[in-house]
Amino acid sequence: MRYMDFSSWQGAMTTLIGLAVFTLLGVGIRMLMMQTIQQRRERMNRQINERLKTLIAAYRTLGGSFTGRLTVDPTHLRDLRDRPQPDDLAPDDALASTDRSRRIRDAVEGALADILLLGTEEHCRLAGQAAADLAAGRPIHTAELVVSLRGFIRSALDLDPMPGDVVIPAQGPTRTQGGAGRGKGDGGGGGNKGGNGGADSGGGMGMGIGMGSGFGARDGGHVS
């Protein structure tokens, strides 16, 4: 108050201008700090969301099965060709079985790599041991790593822990489905349809264009 002068209108004007400048500087500094804190918080939230999304995907890959074979076969394709197949197993069935095992192993390797990148210390220890076993050609179980991932994800999402009276069987990697047979069936069907002539093709194209125009007219206000 000692620097405020209201004895004359010049002194009062100078005092008011000084107060306004001081107030604007304070408000500007506060808004800059709040914006910086908000941007940092948003960046951290994005990082947490991406980490959880990746770990949830890894959990589904490593623990998507409760029945059947719950181990991961580390055998590579070059070794599968030299492996003798049972006599009672058809060649197509043997090829499908080995291809399915290979795809499961590839998916598990990708999930382990994601866990080594974004997992906790316990996750990295378990994933590193599993990766070392795969590299050494030893079959691995993923149940322990799946349990650790499930506990971490539920805790990160503020969910209650699993009840103690819930009995969960051992979990194994998700069994992938092949699409070779379906692709062959679709290709054959396309060939038969192509033999019907150009009239059917033209009619189908005209119908597709008409349906696309109808959907565009209905949803035109919502397309970004």
Short mmCIF file of all heavy atoms in Angstrom, two decimals, residues 84-116:
data_model
loop_
_atom_site.label_atom_id
_atom_site.label_comp_id
_atom_site.label_asym_id
_atom_site.label_seq_id
_atom_site.Cartn_x
_atom_site.Cartn_y
_atom_site.Cartn_z
N PRO A 84 9.09 -86.89 -38.20
CA PRO A 84 8.21 -87.96 -38.72
C PRO A 84 6.80 -87.81 -38.18
O PRO A 84 6.59 -87.53 -37.01
CB PRO A 84 8.89 -89.24 -38.21
CG PRO A 84 9.68 -88.80 -37.01
CD PRO A 84 10.12 -87.39 -37.30
N GLN A 85 5.81 -87.96 -39.05
CA GLN A 85 4.42 -87.83 -38.69
C GLN A 85 3.82 -89.21 -38.41
O GLN A 85 4.24 -90.22 -38.99
CB GLN A 85 3.63 -87.15 -39.82
CG GLN A 85 4.13 -85.76 -40.16
CD GLN A 85 3.96 -84.79 -39.01
OE1 GLN A 85 3.09 -84.98 -38.15
NE2 GLN A 85 4.79 -83.75 -38.99
N PRO A 86 2.84 -89.31 -37.53
CA PRO A 86 2.18 -90.59 -37.27
C PRO A 86 1.54 -91.13 -38.55
O PRO A 86 1.06 -90.38 -39.41
CB PRO A 86 1.12 -90.24 -36.21
CG PRO A 86 1.64 -88.97 -35.57
CD PRO A 86 2.34 -88.23 -36.66
N ASP A 87 1.51 -92.47 -38.66
CA ASP A 87 0.96 -93.10 -39.85
C ASP A 87 -0.54 -92.89 -39.97
O ASP A 87 -1.09 -92.86 -41.08
CB ASP A 87 1.27 -94.61 -39.84
CG ASP A 87 2.79 -94.83 -39.89
OD1 ASP A 87 3.50 -93.94 -40.39
OD2 ASP A 87 3.23 -95.90 -39.43
N ASP A 88 -1.25 -92.78 -38.82
CA ASP A 88 -2.70 -92.65 -38.87
C ASP A 88 -3.15 -91.22 -39.09
O ASP A 88 -4.35 -90.94 -39.10
CB ASP A 88 -3.32 -93.18 -37.57
CG ASP A 88 -2.77 -92.46 -36.34
OD1 ASP A 88 -1.75 -91.74 -36.50
OD2 ASP A 88 -3.34 -92.63 -35.24
N LEU A 89 -2.22 -90.29 -39.31
CA LEU A 89 -2.56 -88.89 -39.51
C LEU A 89 -2.41 -88.55 -40.98
O LEU A 89 -1.36 -88.77 -41.58
CB LEU A 89 -1.65 -87.99 -38.67
CG LEU A 89 -2.04 -86.50 -38.56
CD1 LEU A 89 -3.39 -86.35 -37.88
CD2 LEU A 89 -0.99 -85.71 -37.82
N ALA A 90 -3.49 -88.05 -41.57
CA ALA A 90 -3.48 -87.70 -42.98
C ALA A 90 -2.51 -86.55 -43.23
O ALA A 90 -2.26 -85.73 -42.35
CB ALA A 90 -4.89 -87.30 -43.43
N PRO A 91 -1.94 -86.48 -44.45
CA PRO A 91 -0.98 -85.39 -44.74
C PRO A 91 -1.59 -84.01 -44.55
O PRO A 91 -0.93 -83.10 -44.02
CB PRO A 91 -0.59 -85.65 -46.20
CG PRO A 91 -0.85 -87.10 -46.42
CD PRO A 91 -2.04 -87.43 -45.55
N ASP A 92 -2.85 -83.83 -44.99
CA ASP A 92 -3.48 -82.52 -44.82
C ASP A 92 -3.68 -82.19 -43.35
O ASP A 92 -3.48 -81.04 -42.92
CB ASP A 92 -4.82 -82.49 -45.55
CG ASP A 92 -4.65 -82.58 -47.07
OD1 ASP A 92 -3.53 -82.30 -47.54
OD2 ASP A 92 -5.62 -82.95 -47.75
N ASP A 93 -4.07 -83.19 -42.55
CA ASP A 93 -4.26 -82.94 -41.12
C ASP A 93 -2.93 -82.64 -40.45
O ASP A 93 -2.85 -81.78 -39.56
CB ASP A 93 -4.91 -84.17 -40.46
CG ASP A 93 -6.33 -84.41 -40.98
OD1 ASP A 93 -6.94 -83.44 -41.50
OD2 ASP A 93 -6.81 -85.55 -40.88
N ALA A 94 -1.88 -83.33 -40.86
CA ALA A 94 -0.56 -83.06 -40.26
C ALA A 94 -0.09 -81.66 -40.61
O ALA A 94 0.45 -80.94 -39.76
CB ALA A 94 0.45 -84.10 -40.77
N LEU A 95 -0.31 -81.24 -41.86
CA LEU A 95 0.10 -79.90 -42.26
C LEU A 95 -0.69 -78.85 -41.49
O LEU A 95 -0.13 -77.84 -41.04
CB LEU A 95 -0.11 -79.73 -43.76
CG LEU A 95 0.27 -78.36 -44.35
CD1 LEU A 95 1.75 -78.09 -44.11
CD2 LEU A 95 -0.06 -78.30 -45.83
N ALA A 96 -2.00 -79.07 -41.34
CA ALA A 96 -2.82 -78.10 -40.61
C ALA A 96 -2.40 -78.02 -39.15
O ALA A 96 -2.36 -76.93 -38.56
CB ALA A 96 -4.30 -78.48 -40.71
N SER A 97 -2.07 -79.17 -38.55
CA SER A 97 -1.68 -79.18 -37.14
C SER A 97 -0.36 -78.44 -36.94
O SER A 97 -0.24 -77.62 -36.02
CB SER A 97 -1.56 -80.63 -36.65
OG SER A 97 -1.10 -80.67 -35.33
N THR A 98 0.64 -78.72 -37.79
CA THR A 98 1.92 -78.05 -37.64
C THR A 98 1.81 -76.56 -37.94
O THR A 98 2.46 -75.74 -37.29
CB THR A 98 2.95 -78.71 -38.57
OG1 THR A 98 2.44 -78.70 -39.92
CG2 THR A 98 3.23 -80.14 -38.16
N ASP A 99 0.98 -76.20 -38.92
CA ASP A 99 0.81 -74.78 -39.24
C ASP A 99 0.13 -74.05 -38.10
O ASP A 99 0.47 -72.91 -37.78
CB ASP A 99 0.01 -74.65 -40.53
CG ASP A 99 -0.13 -73.19 -40.95
OD1 ASP A 99 0.88 -72.59 -41.32
OD2 ASP A 99 -1.27 -72.67 -40.90
N ARG A 100 -0.84 -74.70 -37.46
CA ARG A 100 -1.52 -74.08 -36.32
C ARG A 100 -0.55 -73.88 -35.17
O ARG A 100 -0.54 -72.82 -34.52
CB ARG A 100 -2.70 -74.93 -35.89
CG ARG A 100 -3.50 -74.33 -34.73
CD ARG A 100 -4.83 -75.03 -34.53
NE ARG A 100 -4.67 -76.45 -34.32
CZ ARG A 100 -5.04 -77.39 -35.20
NH1 ARG A 100 -5.55 -77.03 -36.37
NH2 ARG A 100 -4.88 -78.67 -34.95
N SER A 101 0.29 -74.87 -34.90
CA SER A 101 1.29 -74.72 -33.84
C SER A 101 2.26 -73.59 -34.14
O SER A 101 2.65 -72.83 -33.25
CB SER A 101 2.05 -76.04 -33.66
OG SER A 101 1.17 -77.09 -33.30
N ARG A 102 2.63 -73.46 -35.41
CA ARG A 102 3.56 -72.40 -35.78
C ARG A 102 2.93 -71.03 -35.59
O ARG A 102 3.58 -70.10 -35.10
CB ARG A 102 4.00 -72.58 -37.24
CG ARG A 102 4.96 -71.52 -37.74
CD ARG A 102 5.36 -71.80 -39.18
NE ARG A 102 4.18 -71.83 -40.05
CZ ARG A 102 3.61 -70.74 -40.56
NH1 ARG A 102 4.10 -69.55 -40.28
NH2 ARG A 102 2.56 -70.84 -41.36
N ARG A 103 1.65 -70.89 -35.97
CA ARG A 103 0.98 -69.60 -35.81
C ARG A 103 0.78 -69.26 -34.33
O ARG A 103 0.88 -68.10 -33.94
CB ARG A 103 -0.35 -69.61 -36.55
CG ARG A 103 -0.17 -69.49 -38.07
CD ARG A 103 -1.50 -69.36 -38.81
NE ARG A 103 -2.12 -70.66 -38.99
CZ ARG A 103 -3.20 -71.07 -38.35
NH1 ARG A 103 -3.78 -70.28 -37.47
NH2 ARG A 103 -3.72 -72.26 -38.57
N ILE A 104 0.51 -70.26 -33.51
CA ILE A 104 0.39 -70.02 -32.07
C ILE A 104 1.73 -69.56 -31.51
O ILE A 104 1.80 -68.61 -30.71
CB ILE A 104 -0.11 -71.28 -31.36
CG1 ILE A 104 -1.57 -71.56 -31.73
CG2 ILE A 104 0.02 -71.14 -29.84
CD1 ILE A 104 -2.10 -72.86 -31.17
N ARG A 105 2.82 -70.22 -31.94
CA ARG A 105 4.14 -69.82 -31.45
C ARG A 105 4.49 -68.40 -31.88
O ARG A 105 5.03 -67.62 -31.09
CB ARG A 105 5.19 -70.80 -31.97
CG ARG A 105 6.58 -70.60 -31.37
CD ARG A 105 7.66 -71.11 -32.30
NE ARG A 105 7.73 -70.30 -33.51
CZ ARG A 105 7.88 -70.81 -34.73
NH1 ARG A 105 7.96 -72.11 -34.91
NH2 ARG A 105 7.94 -70.00 -35.79
N ASP A 106 4.17 -68.04 -33.12
CA ASP A 106 4.46 -66.68 -33.59
C ASP A 106 3.67 -65.64 -32.79
O ASP A 106 4.20 -64.58 -32.43
CB ASP A 106 4.12 -66.56 -35.07
CG ASP A 106 5.04 -67.40 -35.94
OD1 ASP A 106 6.11 -67.81 -35.43
OD2 ASP A 106 4.69 -67.66 -37.11
N ALA A 107 2.40 -65.93 -32.51
CA ALA A 107 1.58 -64.99 -31.73
C ALA A 107 2.12 -64.85 -30.31
O ALA A 107 2.16 -63.75 -29.74
CB ALA A 107 0.13 -65.45 -31.71
N VAL A 108 2.55 -65.96 -29.71
CA VAL A 108 3.09 -65.92 -28.36
C VAL A 108 4.40 -65.15 -28.33
O VAL A 108 4.66 -64.37 -27.40
CB VAL A 108 3.27 -67.35 -27.82
CG1 VAL A 108 4.09 -67.36 -26.53
CG2 VAL A 108 1.91 -67.99 -27.58
N GLU A 109 5.24 -65.31 -29.34
CA GLU A 109 6.50 -64.56 -29.39
C GLU A 109 6.24 -63.06 -29.47
O GLU A 109 6.92 -62.27 -28.80
CB GLU A 109 7.33 -65.02 -30.59
CG GLU A 109 7.98 -66.38 -30.41
CD GLU A 109 8.81 -66.78 -31.61
OE1 GLU A 109 8.67 -66.14 -32.66
OE2 GLU A 109 9.60 -67.73 -31.48
N GLY A 110 5.25 -62.66 -30.27
CA GLY A 110 4.90 -61.24 -30.34
C GLY A 110 4.39 -60.70 -29.01
O GLY A 110 4.73 -59.58 -28.60
N ALA A 111 3.56 -61.50 -28.32
CA ALA A 111 3.04 -61.08 -27.02
C ALA A 111 4.17 -60.97 -25.99
O ALA A 111 4.20 -60.03 -25.18
CB ALA A 111 1.98 -62.06 -26.53
N LEU A 112 5.12 -61.90 -26.02
CA LEU A 112 6.24 -61.82 -25.08
C LEU A 112 7.10 -60.59 -25.35
O LEU A 112 7.59 -59.94 -24.41
CB LEU A 112 7.09 -63.09 -25.20
CG LEU A 112 6.45 -64.40 -24.71
CD1 LEU A 112 7.38 -65.57 -24.96
CD2 LEU A 112 6.07 -64.31 -23.24
N ALA A 113 7.28 -60.24 -26.62
CA ALA A 113 8.05 -59.04 -26.95
C ALA A 113 7.36 -57.78 -26.43
O ALA A 113 8.01 -56.87 -25.91
CB ALA A 113 8.27 -58.95 -28.46
N ASP A 114 6.03 -57.73 -26.54
CA ASP A 114 5.29 -56.57 -26.02
C ASP A 114 5.40 -56.49 -24.51
O ASP A 114 5.53 -55.39 -23.94
CB ASP A 114 3.82 -56.67 -26.43
CG ASP A 114 3.63 -56.46 -27.92
OD1 ASP A 114 4.52 -55.86 -28.55
OD2 ASP A 114 2.60 -56.92 -28.46
N ILE A 115 5.36 -57.63 -23.84
CA ILE A 115 5.45 -57.63 -22.38
C ILE A 115 6.85 -57.18 -21.93
O ILE A 115 7.00 -56.43 -20.96
CB ILE A 115 5.12 -59.02 -21.83
CG1 ILE A 115 3.64 -59.35 -22.10
CG2 ILE A 115 5.41 -59.11 -20.34
CD1 ILE A 115 3.26 -60.78 -21.76
N LEU A 116 7.88 -57.64 -22.64
CA LEU A 116 9.24 -57.20 -22.30
C LEU A 116 9.41 -55.70 -22.49
O LEU A 116 10.25 -55.07 -21.84
CB LEU A 116 10.26 -57.96 -23.17
CG LEU A 116 10.46 -59.44 -22.83
CD1 LEU A 116 11.35 -60.10 -23.87
CD2 LEU A 116 11.04 -59.61 -21.43
#
